[in-house]
């Protein structure tokens, strides 16, 4: 998979409706972030510039970065980066939280085990204004 070009990042930035840019965030996987470390503009300046506090890289074109490991593996024709306003992303509880007590399973060690689980769902509310733009990977 090829490294994204500086022009690709600028294109994604420009694709987003201007009314969402002031509150927009970049989102991608750590593998994609590593690829971005090598991206430079036409003058050889890096896209990612370290934070002045020495806390690493926290912004691209002045907008914050969010690493999300739930993105698919880097491959052609998969969405690799998102840029937009995620404030209208709504989470919902699909069911109640369940806690299970396991007495007999651990009886031989005189212990009791517990595990819990809960299902969630989520969706971006889009009133037709498309608050998030995406970048699809290209084959090298």
């Amino acid at each position: 998979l090829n490294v994204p070009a500086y022009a690709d990042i600028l294109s994604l930035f420009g694709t987003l409706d201007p009314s969402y840019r002031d509150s927009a965030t970049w989102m991608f996987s750590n593998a994609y972030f590593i690829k971005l470390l090598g991206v430079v503009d036409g003058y050889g300046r890096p896209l990612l510039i370290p934070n002045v506090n020495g806390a690493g890289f926290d912004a691209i074109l002045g907008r914050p970065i969010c690493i999300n490991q739930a993105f698919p593996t880097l491959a052609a024709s998969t969405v690799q980066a998102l840029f937009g306003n995620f404030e209208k992303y709504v989470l919902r509880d699909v069911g109640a939280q369940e806690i299970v007590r396991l007495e007999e399973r651990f009886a031989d060690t005189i212990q009791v085990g517990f595990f819990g689980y809960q299902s969630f769902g989520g969706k971006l509310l889009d009133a037709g204004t498309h608050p998030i733009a995406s970048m699809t990977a290209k084959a090298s």
Side-chain angles (χ1 to χ4, degrees):
L1 190 68
N2 63 350
V3 175
Y6 190 77
D8 295 333
I9 303 300
L10 292 178
S11 176
L12 182 57
F13 185 86
T15 300
L16 187 66
D17 186 311
S19 62
Y20 294 114
R21 283 192 202 135
D22 287 343
S23 56
T25 299
W26 297 94
M27 184 181 291
F28 37 76
S29 69
N30 190 59
Y32 193 78
F33 174 75
I34 291 168
K35 288 200 172 279
L36 289 176
L37 289 172
V39 175
V40 295
D41 68 7
Y43 298 103
R45 297 176 297 202
L47 173 68
L48 291 165
I49 299 171
N51 182 313
V52 294
N53 297 328
F57 305 99
D58 60 357
I60 295 175
L61 302 174
R63 301 307 316 145
I65 295 170
C66 175
I67 302 295
N68 181 346
Q69 290 297 76
F71 271 85
T73 304
L74 296 178
S77 302
T78 59
V79 172
Q80 296 301 314
L82 298 174
F83 178 63
N85 183 332
F86 294 90
E87 293 174 358
K88 297 297 180 185
Y89 191 85
V90 178
L91 285 175
R92 69 180 181 95
D93 295 337
V94 176
Q97 184 178 16
E98 299 286 334
I99 298 176
V100 178
R101 180 181 170 127
L102 305 171
E103 293 182 30
E104 293 182 14
R105 169 146 185 178
F106 301 104
D108 57 340
T109 57
I110 311 173
Q111 294 179 340
V112 176
F114 294 91
F115 73 87
Y117 59 92
Q118 184 171 6
S119 296
F120 295 96
K123 186 169 184 164
L124 177 70
L125 300 180
D126 185 350
T129 55
H130 312 301
I132 296 178
S134 64
M135 179 186 298
T136 302
K138 297 179 247 175
S140 46

